[in-house]
Amino acid sequence: MSDKTTCAVVGGGPAGMVLALILARAGVDVTVLEKHADFLRDFRGDTVHPTTLRLIDELGLWPKFAALPQSQLRKGTFEVSPGHWVTMVDFERLRQPHPYVAMVPQWDLLNLLADAGNAEPSFTLRMSTEVTGLLRDGGRVAGVHYDGADGPGELRADLTVGCDGRWSVVRRDAGLQVREWPVGFDAWWFRLPRREDDAIYTLFPRLAPGRAMIVIPRQGYLQIALLIPKGSDVRLRARGLHAFHADVLELLPEAGDMVYTITTLDDVKYLDVRMNRLRRWHTDGLLCIGDAAHAMSPAGGVGINVAVQDGVATARLLAEPLRRGVVTDRDLAAVRRRRVVPTAVTQALQRQIDKRLLGPIVRGDKAGGVPASLVRLVELVPWLAIIPGYLVGVGVRPERAPAFARRTPAGGGP
Ligand SMILES: Cc1cc2nc3c(=O)[nH]c(=O)nc-3n(C[C@H](O)[C@H](O)[C@H](O)COP(=O)(O)OP(=O)(O)OC[C@H]3O[C@@H](n4cnc5c(N)ncnc54)[C@H](O)[C@@H]3O)c2cc1C
């Protein structure tokens, strides 16, 4: 089977879904190919940042978003010594319409974007459709080969955008060169049942020498990332279930008996954390964005936001060339020019968090905690907590929805 679209978007993650929705609102014929049958996956974090919240609002999706199950993180307050709490990260001071991080299961956000996309006549989402390689006309990328529910096929496209994440098939097939940076940790990813009366969990890590843990509250259960030293998965698994339970209880004593609901280490998924960036983000007929162009570390929980901003910028810059039917090398290069600085700055900050905080902690080289000098400074000038709040919640060069994509929610304003 062979068919045709104007823009083929490979991967229905945050970058791909935002890009496709905005392009469809510009009247561009766009097809998203997503390899999974649904969005119900756990490995991608749940944080929706103030700039993404503003975007959702501008797209006219706020009432539906606000109705999703979620919790709000307004401040990052750390216990710097027993009983002594200091707010180190403050989102509330940001001049944003929604100055907090919303913790929303990512599948809910992606379903919301898919519903909005399906309302546009030029939007097509094909689930259970795995892209297996690029289709070429001479040297030019002319679409993709895929394996779908009805068997293999080809989708021809004026432009193919790789939004297929850190293990991007598209970028590998295109032979785009990747620059890798070492990361000091990997993650174990698992769930524990949640008690009704449990504490307030935040996305800020719990730290102890040799371990760090991020606990994401979801309805009925806790989604947990236990950070482990890079490359130690096999060695740590070999210590067995008992040692795993002890590790978890050290950082999350309130889990109590709940920890024993994990009865096999098969329930603990290993995530190979990467940080890299493409040197060139495009080739003739193909562009990569989101994690496919720059895999982000979980540090700071900003990867979703950066991917969303990539999607917005790409749609804004390419909607007109796509409508005209001529996308030049210059048009594609403009996307990288717009997005490389925010990405590089964010990755540089993540490398510092990795090098100075998380890496040494998970290797057991130093005790957990925020440096005492920093704590004293923020206690002296509490306003300074807005700086990490801005870097995490807004980031460098935030993007706004283009005018053509904006909508007022049915029934009035947000
Ligand atoms: C352990 C861990 C925790 C994290 N936690 C957070 C967090 O809390 N907050 C945060 O902001 N960021 C977090 N991140 C980073 C974040 O997950 C990514 O930066 C973000 O999801 C990138 O979005 P994306 O759309 O570019 O790619 P992805 O979210 O990876 O989406 C790619 C999509 O492409 C699909 N796909 C892949 N291959 C194919 C193919 N061949 N054909 C068709 N479809 C395909 C996938 O199924 C997927 O739906 C975390 C990362 C890790 C490793």
Side-chain angles (χ1 to χ4, degrees):
M1 191 169 84
S2 175
D3 45 2
K4 168 100 180 74
T5 185
T6 303
C7 183
V9 174
V10 183
M17 293 306 290
V18 165
L19 168 67
L21 169 61
I22 298 181
L23 283 181
R25 286 194 173 176
V28 174
D29 197 28
V30 57
T31 302
V32 183
L33 305 116
E34 166 54 49
K35 71 177 176 184
H36 288 99
D38 53 42
F39 295 120
L40 288 174
R41 295 182 303 293
D42 264 339
F43 57 89
R44 303 191 299 195
D46 290 25
T47 53
V48 185
H49 293 238
T51 35
T52 302
L53 295 175
R54 186 178 60 191
L55 176 79
I56 289 167
D57 212 339
E58 290 169 347
L59 294 173
L61 303 175
W62 188 258
K64 286 186 178 158
F65 180 84
L68 296 175
Q70 59 188 279
S71 51
Q72 297 179 359
L73 178 69
R74 292 181 171 269
K75 290 172 193 269
T77 303
F78 290 81
E79 190 172 24
V80 292
S81 57
H84 179 194
W85 293 80
V86 179
T87 295
M88 299 296 293
V89 187
D90 195 342
F91 298 114
E92 272 185 341
R93 290 175 190 255
L94 296 174
R95 278 208 229 139
Q96 289 283 319
H98 309 286
Y100 57 86
V101 172
M103 311 276 279
V104 178
Q106 202 180 123
W107 51 81
D108 283 337
L109 176 65
L110 295 175
N111 278 321
L112 179 80
L113 295 169
D115 286 348
N118 283 325
E120 306 295 328
S122 61
F123 177 96
T124 307
L125 171 60
R126 294 193 193 167
M127 302 301 286
S128 305
T129 306
E130 178 164 7
V131 168
T132 50
L134 295 171
L135 184 68
R136 287 187 171 82
D137 266 350
R140 185 172 195 284
V141 174
V144 294
H145 297 281
Y146 64 81
D147 237 333
D150 301 327
E154 289 176 0
L155 178 66
R156 301 191 80 80
D158 296 345
L159 175 69
T160 300
V161 186
C163 304
D164 48 341
R166 62 196 54 225
W167 306 112
S168 172
V169 167
V170 164
R171 84 176 184 194
R172 197 179 57 224
D173 195 350
L176 292 170
Q177 277 187 21
V178 187
R179 181 171 177 199
E180 290 275 349
W181 286 273
V183 181
F185 60 91
D186 288 324
W188 274 357
W189 197 238
F190 56 95
R191 292 174 175 195
L192 290 180
R194 186 177 175 183
R195 296 177 208 275
E196 284 307 309
D197 60 342
D198 64 10
I200 307 296
Y201 297 96
T202 76
L203 81 163
F204 293 94
R206 291 164 176 242
L207 306 172
R211 334 219 169 287
M213 180 187 270
I214 299 162
V215 184
I216 300 173
R218 290 196 183 142
Q219 265 185 341
Y221 67 96
L222 300 173
Q223 182 66 54
I224 300 179
L226 181 63
L227 306 187
I228 57 173
K230 189 80 196 161
S232 64
D233 174 61
V234 173
R235 176 174 59 80
L236 293 181
R237 272 178 203 272
R239 296 182 315 154
L241 195 59
H242 185 67
F244 168 77
H245 289 152
D247 288 352
V248 174
L249 285 171
E250 185 189 350
L251 281 166
L252 194 64
E254 61 269 46
D257 287 350
M258 296 294 188
V259 79
Y260 303 111
T261 57
I262 303 254
T263 54
T264 158
L265 286 179
D266 291 345
D267 293 342
V268 178
K269 308 231 166 45
Y270 161 60
L271 290 167
D272 180 0
V273 176
R274 294 294 177 106
M275 191 189 298
N276 58 42
R277 195 164 67 242
L278 290 180
R279 291 178 195 277
R280 254 172 85 88
W281 293 19
H282 76 280
T283 178
D284 197 8
L286 172 79
L287 172 72
C288 287
I289 62 167
D291 269 20
H294 45 72
M296 308 297 287
S297 143
V302 292
I304 296 168
N305 206 40
V306 174
V308 165
Q309 307 289 309
D310 277 9
V312 178
T314 306
R316 184 166 42 74
L317 290 166
L318 298 186
E320 195 41 45
L322 281 164
R323 264 197 307 231
R324 282 199 313 265
V326 186
V327 183
T328 63
D329 207 53
R330 277 172 73 113
D331 294 326
L332 298 180
V335 174
R336 178 186 176 278
R337 254 201 326 278
R338 171 83 195 170
R339 294 301 303 155
V340 72
V341 170
T343 307
V345 170
T346 309
Q347 289 184 320
L349 290 170
Q350 290 189 320
R351 285 204 298 281
Q352 289 307 313
I353 296 175
D354 178 31
K355 193 168 147 199
R356 297 181 190 283
L357 193 67
L358 295 177
I361 287 167
V362 295
R363 283 196 305 273
D365 293 350
K366 77 174 199 188
V370 184
S373 52
L374 205 61
V375 172
R376 275 198 300 277
L377 191 63
V378 176
E379 279 192 302
L380 220 56
V381 190
W383 188 88
L384 286 175
I386 196 177
I387 296 172
Y390 188 89
L391 290 172
V392 171
V394 177
V396 181
R397 200 178 272 169
E399 304 286 346
R400 306 287 300 265
F404 62 76
R406 295 188 182 209
R407 298 285 185 276
T408 306

